């Protein structure tokens, strides 16, 4: 399964084309709507008040409620694009945003309104595509769960990478602020509200678990490692700036005797007693949960004034990005990370065949 | 430029085919040999005593000392493959290695000797390919430097991500143990020798700088982000388990006002005064140095006895991986990371055209 | 530039996503509409009376009338999908159609109405995509012309492959029945009407010229030959069953001394005095017009009764495909072949960069 | 399975890397050698006396006589590259050859000796790759046979496209001049010898049959049609200039009632009583033999003097390509066409999985 995103934040519509969808998949529109709702803004005081219905219209690839196996296109009309005055900031590159790079890349022909094609809004069709991938994977016994691992330096409770508690993960997944430890979650929310009150934003991290994935997927070509594949998808999410598998960056200070995951017999064949390698050896799944953690940078849109440059004049300027921005996009990014994982795993040869 | 690696550690030869090499490139065989030497084992007491000449024989794509623009194949004959007795460990999956996953992936037909296709030895043709890519990029004013950022929890001196000192990086590159701060490097070497003495190994991290890269490269398709591209290549290096751009995982605990890189005017157009985003906004280069850090796990081959499973019988067993292994592959991985970066950047549309 | 078609004949909409469109291209909607009109049915007594407006709605990738360089999605709503009774023929595989193969490929989940995804109707978004490609190529001085080369065994006047008359080709292109020799065109039309009167259909061939294409495009990888690229695109057109470059199948009975195109000096460098190789040597353009001819099979939908099989019961049956079918799709296929050529040429590295 | 060819005619070696080879395939080196021998020159008075042993050395991907599933590289050392004097013809573009186009494409850095990378000699590793693909397909019950369909306008006996005689095809395959009708084959050989005596060459055509291929392969993406896939591979063979499926170009003058292949019940499901569509409807296999015919142009190397241009001076010149050239490459191209078919079919998703 492969996907192609299209659309601009304030253009007529955004959407996605999915190729390689297996035929006969039941399009559970209730599940899809619930996935879209997890990402949609406006769910709580913590998120942007922008009202995005994010109702997906399926244009192709589905017949009588089931996938045909032909390219599946879903679009979301952009209804909340009230005309606003961009005149004041048209040429001011917002720090941390893609305004300047899009301007260079598109040679000045970019749709600059609201970030255009490079808006976080494009994660909506990504979640739709991920929902279809999840439906396909579920039929193969593969499930994907992500949770907030940290916000503003406050960490959630650790999970057992070798034997994560699926029930807890599922419970977290059903929450608007998916953490394992609600007390720590409360502290994170406080930190978010504090940052907002100060005209600022905070970042965090998300940990993702792929359960039920069989051994032997990925490779043998080096750039087809499961890590490479997941990384390609995960780094297509705006704001994701780091990715680690298993114990991730902690592996830098471990010794081999600590980091190696010893093999132990199990009914299903060799398993490992720890999972510092995140379910992947030599770029190939080993049958343990595939686990990875991504770092989400703080929302670049902040009310505080920042230095910038006027792209037309080249002169120094100041900018304050007022308006309806999320002080922390980590909660809304959780389903996006799951979607990227689902899309990556669905692309692995042999998973959906 | 794209590359395809082939070969097994103890097969006839390992090698690589490079496609998309620009014609007319001067094949500086001295430079290539020096790059190969940086990765080769045996350079010091810290590395494996295995004698690998790693002399590359170019089979195609070069004529009268210059690239033709046709597929370029380079091979390295495996000369140091003395017959050894694998009988004792044939079926024992080494923890942290790809023995088990390769066994499943290849359905039992893998060349198991020395890790076969999944051996770190395959990084030799990767370095060769990277050397060709570096030669091509050098002609476009792009240079790539990596250095050891940490070993066993001991960190090298920090670098200025927005204005790294190219002279220092070049000096480090010329050393067998490339760090910015020699004192800290000495401490790292002590930690490596201590681990070896204890039959163990240590991990670390490597920071890579791409200098001279213009703004506007990458995207606009989401899975063509510069982060996605570099990640795909970097995660094809065995033992790399994490990757962060710019400030990387530190971004999780920063605020937007700290993490955003303010734009400032410069002669060459808008620049940023900090570089927490690692030279990339919205998946597109912004003209600042592209900076990323990778985590290299500790060498999985250790003399200490570990738990494992006999893949044939499914029974528990014990294994001690004796022999000529590196207690820390971080130093030798430095040119491999540079190679992956060079190959990734060379693949970006518009760089070599 | 690459394209992905989606949609089913009687689904909500059909469309295409174009990636790699250069930014700043003027979206000449008048030109695009005229291209769509060339393919649309109902233009004359010779074509299907089905009323397809084929108005393209551009959802993304265009801002203020110019392409952004981001993925460009255009859709055509399916308005003329009046509910009809497929009950009688649902399980009867129409000979020459994809009913049976789609049924196997999609495991019974295909949208069978009117051919679904495999309908010739999908050539409408292909023509839209081709129109965008033509606009991009025009800016590089490359123009594409196709004409009916034969219908029902009646051939149009031959063209000089080495020096085709662009004015004549342009005049033909403006006509609903694009031939060089109007007298022969009249005979072709008679043959079409005769076949229709007899409840039958006829096939034909189309010759396509790419003018203004520079030397040195294509290759050097063998499956990146210009012939391979054009072939991949041309054979994605339903009903195209053969393709020949330059003198095509005539080369089988020529001698080398006749077939070789002798080089002659010209102001622009070496040219050839004949063009039997269709502007391509060794898979690379030689600067002469790229010329190829495709064979379009007779419309498989015919009123005459034919043998078939009921796909559910496996029993023999008889079918007569009544209704609004074209007795000859060659005229309407002319802009589709041009579109395929434009899309293929646009995909060649170096053409649009 | 995908392949990448590399090498130059007079460089150190030519070869191929095959990716996606299924593990556990028995590398029947006797079969592979016999396939190489079918393509090799020197087999008869009709072919070039150049002595090419074409012994393949397998460098990777094979262990203990079986494929590992890892990239498989095979090389052929160029031993018969005796130093010759190219000084006289270095700058003369041979008509019908890639000398001029390679010169432009490679910006003057091409290895010009003997056609370099664009030499027909590169079909040797293609045949090797095809032999591996044939071994893989044979395990799935798929067999591929090609035969000379015509030479110099003399046609072989027609075959029944819907029910080709496998025994006859197998017998032809074992012959140095594979035709169904030996009498016509004799006439073809006379025509070849006559052309050679006159310092000239002749072309011809080859018909290829893929037997045992199941229904439902290919698509549904338009540029993934089976015709597109086969075409991409077949047009990567030097000298192939036309390709038709089933009845091919004859379809242009047939009526629908003649061209449509009526479905008839069979034990294995719907079959067709004729096979004018060459086993493909809507780009998807229908379970009938996949049949296609390619046109091979006459050998461009001829002793007769031809007009050309000196690429350095731009001046008109005359050239006579003396030496060891085949007056007709059709017989030697038969196994190459089979190889291209095998490689194309092996690339179809679902065939080897």
């Amino acid at each position: 399964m492969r996907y192609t995103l299209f659309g601009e934040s304030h253009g007529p519509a955004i959407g996605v084309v999915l190729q390689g969808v297996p035929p006969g998949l039941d399009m559970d529109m209730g599940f899809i709507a619930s996935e879209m709702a997890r990402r949609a803004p406006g769910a709580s005081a913590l998120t942007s008040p922008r009202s995005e219905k994010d109702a997906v219209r399926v244009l192709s690839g589905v017949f009588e409620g089931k996938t045909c196996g032909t390219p599946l296109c879903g679009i979301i009309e952009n209804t909340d694009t009230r005309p606003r005055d961009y005149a004041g900031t048209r040429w001011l590159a917002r720090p941390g945003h893609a305004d300047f790079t899009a301007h260079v890349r598109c040679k000045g022909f970019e749709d600059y309104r609201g970030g255009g094609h490079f808006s976080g809004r494009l994660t909506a069709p990504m979640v739709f595509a991920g929902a279809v991938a999840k439906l396909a994977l579920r039929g193969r016994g593969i499930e994907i769960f992500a949770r907030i691992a940290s916000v503003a330096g406050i960490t959630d409770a650790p999970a057992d990478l070798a034997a994560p508690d699926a029930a807890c993960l599922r419970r977290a997944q059903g929450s608007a602020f998916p953490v394992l430890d609600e007390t720590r979650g409360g502290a994170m929310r406080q930190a978010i509200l504090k940052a907002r009150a100060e005209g600022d934003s905070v970042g965090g991290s998300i940990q993702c678990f792929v359960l039920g994935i069989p051994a032997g997927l990925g490779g043998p070509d080096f750039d087809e490692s499961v890590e490479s594949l997941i990384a390609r998808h995960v780094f297509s999410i705006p704001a994701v700036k780091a990715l680690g598998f298993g114990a991730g960056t902690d592996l830098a200070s471990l010794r081999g005797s600590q980091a190696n995951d010893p093999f132990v017999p199990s009914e299903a064949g060799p398993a490992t007693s720890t999972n510092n390698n995140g379910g992947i050896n030599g770029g190939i799944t080993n049958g343990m949960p595939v686990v990875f953690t991504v770092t989400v940078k703080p929302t670049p849109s902040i009310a505080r004034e920042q230095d910038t440059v006027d792209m037309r004049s080249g002169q120094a300027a100041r900018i304050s990005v007022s308006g309806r921005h999320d002080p922390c996009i980590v909660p809304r990014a959780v389903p996006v990370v799951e979607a990227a994982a689902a899309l990556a795993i669905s692309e692995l040869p042999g998973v959906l065949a």
Side-chain angles (χ1 to χ4, degrees), chain A:
Chain A
M1 202 184 290
R2 289 156 293 138
Y3 74 101
T4 307
L5 294 177
F6 57 84
E8 279 78 33
S9 177
H10 289 62
I14 56 177
V16 65
V17 178
L18 274 167
Q19 297 169 269
V21 179
L25 206 61
D26 195 22
M27 281 291 278
D28 182 340
M29 294 307 289
F31 170 73
I32 289 170
S34 72
E35 288 289 289
M36 298 305 290
R38 290 174 68 204
R39 192 216 68 93
S44 79
L46 294 169
T47 65
S48 155
R50 175 169 172 172
S51 156
E52 285 165 337
K53 291 243 176 47
D54 286 356
V56 180
R57 184 180 170 219
V58 175
L59 296 185
S60 66
V62 175
F63 180 55
E64 297 179 344
K66 290 188 191 300
T67 57
C68 302
T70 53
L72 193 164
C73 180
I75 65 169
I76 301 165
E77 305 271 345
N78 286 326
T79 51
D80 185 23
T81 56
R82 31 186 154 144
R84 278 184 294 158
D85 185 11
Y86 286 94
T89 57
R90 162 68 182 101
W91 300 103
L92 300 186
R94 290 171 299 166
H97 275 283
D99 297 339
F100 169 61
T101 55
H103 188 65
V104 178
R105 178 69 178 77
C106 297
K107 301 185 177 171
F109 297 102
E110 74 280 5
D111 181 349
Y112 56 83
R113 300 167 303 168
H117 181 63
F118 303 93
S119 164
R121 181 149 169 69
L122 270 283
T123 57
M126 203 186 284
V127 167
F128 167 70
V132 177
K134 281 181 176 184
L135 288 170
L137 292 173
R138 192 181 287 176
R140 271 74 181 174
I142 299 172
E143 285 200 287
I144 293 169
F145 301 97
R147 55 112 175 200
I148 299 173
S150 77
V151 160
I154 303 161
T155 56
D156 189 22
D160 181 345
L161 304 190
D165 186 330
C168 283
L169 290 169
R170 198 181 311 274
R171 198 178 320 122
Q173 202 175 45
S175 140
F177 199 88
V179 288
L180 298 182
D181 182 333
E182 261 307 314
T183 312
R184 303 191 193 201
M188 293 178 197
R189 283 191 293 269
Q190 290 305 316
I192 296 173
L193 293 172
K194 182 160 184 292
R196 168 195 267 176
E198 296 169 16
D200 216 333
S201 64
V202 291
S205 60
I206 294 168
Q207 192 173 40
C208 187
F209 300 82
V210 184
L211 306 186
I213 191 165
L217 298 172
D221 282 309
F222 276 67
D223 68 347
E224 291 174 359
S225 82
V226 176
E227 286 114 330
S228 289
L229 182 62
I230 290 176
R232 178 160 63 78
H233 283 273
V234 155
F235 279 117
S236 69
I237 304 173
V240 167
K241 297 298 282 190
L243 165 65
F245 291 89
T249 51
D250 289 350
L251 289 163
S253 40
L254 293 182
R255 282 197 163 186
S257 58
Q258 300 166 305
N260 285 346
D261 299 309
F263 285 102
V264 290
S266 87
E267 287 202 9
T272 63
S273 52
T274 55
N275 192 14
N276 293 310
N277 283 279
I280 306 167
N281 293 134
I284 301 171
T285 56
N286 65 13
M288 299 298 293
V290 167
V291 185
F292 63 86
T293 303
V294 303
T295 299
V296 179
K297 71 175 185 179
T299 319
S301 297
I302 56 174
R304 289 202 183 179
E305 236 187 34
Q306 302 170 81
D307 283 329
T308 188
V309 168
D310 181 305
M311 294 189 287
R312 196 170 37 178
S313 71
Q315 300 299 309
R318 298 280 288 171
I319 189 168
S320 161
V321 184
S322 59
R324 18 177 215 172
H325 66 272
D326 267 336
C328 178
I329 55 173
V330 174
R332 289 177 59 199
V334 168
V336 183
V337 169
E338 289 180 4
L343 289 161
I345 300 298
S346 302
E347 204 176 297
L348 275 170
V351 168
L352 297 185

